[in-house]
């Protein structure tokens, strides 16, 4: 394992990088890994973060290779190492304070990852595993979890929907939780009303007859314009039509 320059000479030892970092942009030189074991990568990660990483006995024996092709910052080095470990089936969970755990990715949810409160966007992006509860205001939790959230999750993550409270408990890498939070911020809000309601008073034709003629046009010549976004109802007592459609269709 080669790390251009001396770690002890170029950066203070035992500086915690996550969640607080004093010099995230400090250069550490070129980072090169050549057939390094996961345990050696964990040792280097300890040096860079100041964390003590507790390891399972059955950590993957994979050989890890990497070349930063130039000088790299502390922050980018940590993210790269965590990503390499994740790609080789090893997940990191924060135990609070100076300790983390390195466990096989298939078992990460059994190790009770730290629960995050508040926004994840204030934290430095990483591949460490956390759990977070996302309450939803306008989206339906079951629909959102299947069509919006699930495609964003990593292979060994999990999510638990709570339909009664309309919330999602998601366990995944911090970088994915941040992506999910950004997307929910854009999608979980009141939808704009796109249709207008128009009351049309009729003088020379019965409302029911006019309704039938409009529905014929909606299903025939005007189907490409009106079908699916227009509805018409007849109020025979007042001889009115009630049209609901896009404002551009009502003139």
């Amino acid at each position: 394992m080669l790390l251009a320059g001396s770690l002890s000479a170029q950066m203070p030892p035992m500086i915690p990088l996550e969640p607080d970092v004093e010099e995230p942009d400090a250069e550490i030189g070129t980072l090169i890994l050549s057939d390094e074991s996961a345990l050696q990568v964990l040792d280097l990660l300890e040096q860079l973060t100041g964390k003590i990483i507790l390891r399972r006995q059955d950590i993957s024996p994979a050989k890890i290779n990497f070349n930063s092709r130039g000088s790299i910052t502390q922050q980018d080095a940590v993210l790269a190492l965590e990503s390499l470990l994740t790609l080789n089936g090893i997940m990191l969970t924060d135990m609070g304070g100076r300790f983390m755990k390195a466990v096989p990715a298939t078992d990460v949810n059994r190790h009770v990852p730290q629960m995050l409160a508040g926004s994840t966007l204030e934290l430095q992006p990483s591949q460490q595993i956390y759990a977070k509860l996302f309450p939803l205001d306008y989206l339906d939790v079951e629909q959102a979890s299947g069509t919006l959230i699930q495609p964003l999750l990593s292979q060994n993550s999990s999510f638990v929907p709570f339909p009664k409270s309309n919330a999602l408990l998601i366990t995944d890498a911090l970088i994915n939780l941040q992506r999910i939070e950004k997307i929910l911020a854009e999608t979980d809000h009141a939808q704009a009303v796109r249709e207008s309601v128009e009351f049309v008073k009729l003088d020379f034709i019965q409302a029911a007859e006019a309704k039938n003629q409009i529905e014929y046009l909606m299903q025939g010549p005007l189907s490409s314009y009106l079908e699916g976004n227009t509805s018409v109802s007849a109020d025979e007592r007042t001889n009115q039509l009630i049209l609901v459609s896009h404002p551009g269709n009502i003139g």
Side-chain angles (χ1 to χ4, degrees), residues 14-223:
M14 304 301 281
I15 293 178
L17 188 62
E18 296 175 15
D20 298 319
V21 58
E22 295 180 7
E23 297 179 290
D25 298 324
E27 300 282 341
I28 62 170
T30 301
L31 178 61
I32 300 175
L33 306 178
S34 179
D35 285 340
E36 307 296 341
S37 69
L39 295 179
Q40 289 173 303
V41 174
L42 290 171
D43 288 340
L44 180 56
L45 197 56
E46 284 184 327
Q47 294 179 53
L48 289 168
T49 62
K51 298 276 189 175
I52 297 174
I53 302 176
L54 308 180
R55 305 112 188 267
R56 278 265 297 264
Q57 294 293 327
D58 54 350
I59 289 294
S60 169
K63 296 298 183 181
I64 298 176
N65 296 277
F66 177 75
N67 188 337
S68 66
R69 292 182 173 84
S71 186
I72 190 171
T73 64
Q74 293 182 39
Q75 177 178 321
D76 289 343
V78 169
L79 184 57
L81 294 176
E82 290 177 340
S83 299
L84 288 166
L85 290 170
T86 299
L87 290 172
N88 286 277
I90 300 167
M91 292 288 195
L92 299 171
T93 61
D94 200 328
M95 300 174 62
R98 294 177 57 196
F99 295 95
M100 291 192 298
K101 285 189 293 189
V103 298
T106 53
D107 293 337
V108 68
N109 291 320
R110 298 189 341 208
H111 288 266
V112 194
Q114 180 180 345
M115 177 76 74
L116 293 178
S119 175
T120 63
L121 304 180
E122 300 172 357
L123 303 176
Q124 205 65 251
S126 78
Q127 288 284 350
Q128 291 187 39
I129 301 298
Y130 294 93
K132 179 167 175 59
L133 185 69
F134 291 94
L136 304 179
D137 294 320
Y138 298 97
L139 293 173
D140 176 77
V141 64
E142 293 184 343
Q143 182 178 7
S145 62
T147 61
L148 182 64
I149 302 301
Q150 193 166 19
L152 302 175
L153 300 176
S154 57
Q155 182 178 359
N156 296 289
S157 62
S158 71
F159 68 92
V160 180
F162 295 93
K164 291 185 177 180
S165 57
N166 205 42
L168 277 171
L169 177 62
I170 302 177
T171 302
D172 202 348
L174 176 59
I175 198 168
N176 275 352
L177 295 179
Q178 291 171 324
R179 186 181 298 116
I180 290 169
E181 182 173 341
K182 289 179 181 178
I183 290 176
L184 289 179
E186 294 292 331
T187 58
D188 187 31
H189 51 73
Q191 298 298 310
V193 177
R194 301 176 182 174
E195 288 78 27
S196 293
V197 180
E198 185 82 11
F199 294 86
V200 181
K201 182 76 168 88
L202 303 176
D203 295 321
F204 305 106
I205 188 174
Q206 295 298 312
E209 182 181 350
K211 173 179 178 292
N212 291 335
Q213 292 182 10
I214 293 175
E215 287 181 338
Y216 168 76
L217 293 173
M218 289 169 55
Q219 297 170 5
L222 300 180
S223 62

Side-chain angles (χ1 to χ4, degrees), residues 196-200 214 230-233 241-245 250:
S196 293
V197 180
E198 185 82 11
F199 294 86
V200 181
I214 293 175
T230 301
S231 67
V232 57
S233 301
L241 287 179
I242 305 172
L243 299 174
V244 180
S245 187
I250 301 177

